[in-house]
Amino acid sequence: MNRRYRKTIIAGNWKMNKTATETKKFAEELKTMLPKAKWCEVVVCVPAVNISTAIRAFKDMRVSIGAENVFYERSGAYTGEVSADMLKDLGVKYVIIGHSERRQYFGETDVTVNKKVLAALEAGLHPIICVGESLEQREMGITMELIALQVKAALADVPAEKARKCVIAYEPIWAIGTGKTATAEQANEVCNAIRATIRHLYGARVARSVTIQYGGSMNPGNAAELLAQPDVDGGLIGGASLKPDQFTAIVNAANQE
Ligand code: 13P
């Protein structure tokens, strides 16, 4: 973390979990435990059908609501899709774009990720852009090149003043939902390389202002060490974000003075 230059953001990614009823219950429980997050922003990204419920349920808590996906067209004959304007109108602040599960199961590519980033920014949303390598790619020694490519592709045609509004989440695919976390050094090494890519694209001022999260089996036991790294500015948390006590513990780790 480096709070002098950029925001620390702890975001939950609920994936395809929790009904609207469970969303309300989670918010009620979280309310009794969540500290006043002075030093970090807390975000909960929920399934699209639960957004309205979440906006209401978290209204008087300092929690921002995020979506897990968005389509890049503004409107039209795209059955089943949700536009950036629709999300913005509900009060959504963040949207996860290019999560590895969407790349793997729903055919997202660096090209569609870029279109979605542009659409989200146009609507005034903050994209949380996910990048990350598979185990095979790490073992082949191409992690850095691959991540740089993913970041550059996602930010194609994004001007500097809008790049500042983006969050990048480094999520090694081998660490997602596996209980295997990247070491703090591995996480920082890649987050640092992401910042170097942004510096190359936009210069030092933008690079130092962009929040870069780590995601992949982050939990109350490893959060403090990961967040202590200079280039790890927060977490994108799957499994542990579904449990109010665990999510709170991670927020507490980011909330240390
Ligand atoms: P886990 O925390 O369950 O490994 O998931 C990470 C993730 O994919 C967040 O987007």
Side-chain angles (χ1 to χ4, degrees):
M1 296 185 279
N2 185 337
R3 297 194 189 105
R4 197 164 148 214
Y5 293 120
R6 48 195 177 257
K7 224 190 256 183
T8 301
I9 303 176
I10 298 297
N13 172 12
W14 282 6
K15 310 192 178 183
M16 196 175 74
N17 290 293
K18 295 197 191 292
T19 61
T21 307
E22 289 164 344
T23 302
K24 268 190 239 162
K25 187 163 172 274
F26 177 96
E28 278 159 22
E29 283 177 33
L30 192 69
K31 201 180 228 171
T32 64
M33 11 184 132
L34 197 67
K36 286 233 161 27
K38 274 197 299 203
W39 302 104
C40 72
E41 181 168 359
V42 181
V43 183
V44 179
C45 300
V46 303
V49 290
N50 293 341
I51 289 171
S52 295
T53 303
I55 299 269
R56 274 196 303 275
F58 289 94
K59 199 172 58 178
D60 47 359
M61 296 161 74
R62 287 226 204 129
V63 174
S64 306
I65 300 303
E68 299 177 13
N69 183 31
V70 63
F71 191 50
Y72 49 76
E73 294 292 350
R74 293 199 81 157
S75 63
Y78 304 103
T79 303
E81 291 297 321
V82 172
S83 76
D85 285 339
M86 292 174 191
L87 296 176
K88 180 72 181 172
D89 187 60
L90 287 179
V92 166
K93 181 168 178 191
Y94 290 93
V95 56
I96 297 172
I97 296 179
H99 191 281
S100 63
E101 287 149 17
R102 295 216 53 89
R103 295 180 194 246
Q104 185 180 349
Y105 304 127
F106 303 100
E108 298 223 356
T109 65
D110 288 336
V111 173
T112 57
V113 168
N114 175 240
K115 287 185 176 185
K116 291 181 174 196
V117 168
L118 292 168
L121 288 167
E122 184 65 31
L125 297 169
H126 294 264
I128 300 178
I129 302 166
C130 299
V131 297
E133 82 288 2
S134 67
L135 189 58
E136 293 75 20
Q137 290 162 334
R138 175 160 281 266
E139 285 169 350
M140 282 163 76
I142 58 171
T143 299
M144 294 307 183
E145 289 90 338
L146 184 93
I147 302 286
L149 184 82
Q150 289 177 339
V151 171
K152 280 187 197 168
L155 294 174
D157 297 327
V158 174
E161 74 275 10
K162 285 195 172 166
R164 286 169 174 275
K165 298 187 162 58
C166 295
V167 174
I168 312 283
Y170 167 53
E171 298 208 309
I173 297 168
W174 48 271
I176 295 177
T178 57
K180 246 198 223 173
T181 319
T183 64
E185 291 71 29
Q186 282 172 326
N188 195 63
E189 186 188 23
V190 180
C191 290
N192 180 273
I194 291 171
R195 202 174 306 286
T197 302
I198 297 173
R199 190 178 307 119
H200 181 71
L201 293 171
Y202 299 106
R205 295 186 100 195
V206 174
R208 76 178 182 205
S209 71
V210 170
T211 297
I212 303 177
Q213 299 172 314
Y214 167 79
S217 300
M218 195 186 256
N219 61 46
N222 59 30
E225 196 190 351
L226 286 158
L227 295 169
Q229 299 298 312
D231 283 301
V232 178
D233 308 315
L236 186 56
I237 299 122
S241 77
L242 298 170
K243 305 200 178 79
D245 54 339
Q246 293 194 13
F247 191 55
T248 300
I250 296 172
V251 172
N252 282 335
N255 213 13
Q256 303 299 323
E257 250 182 87

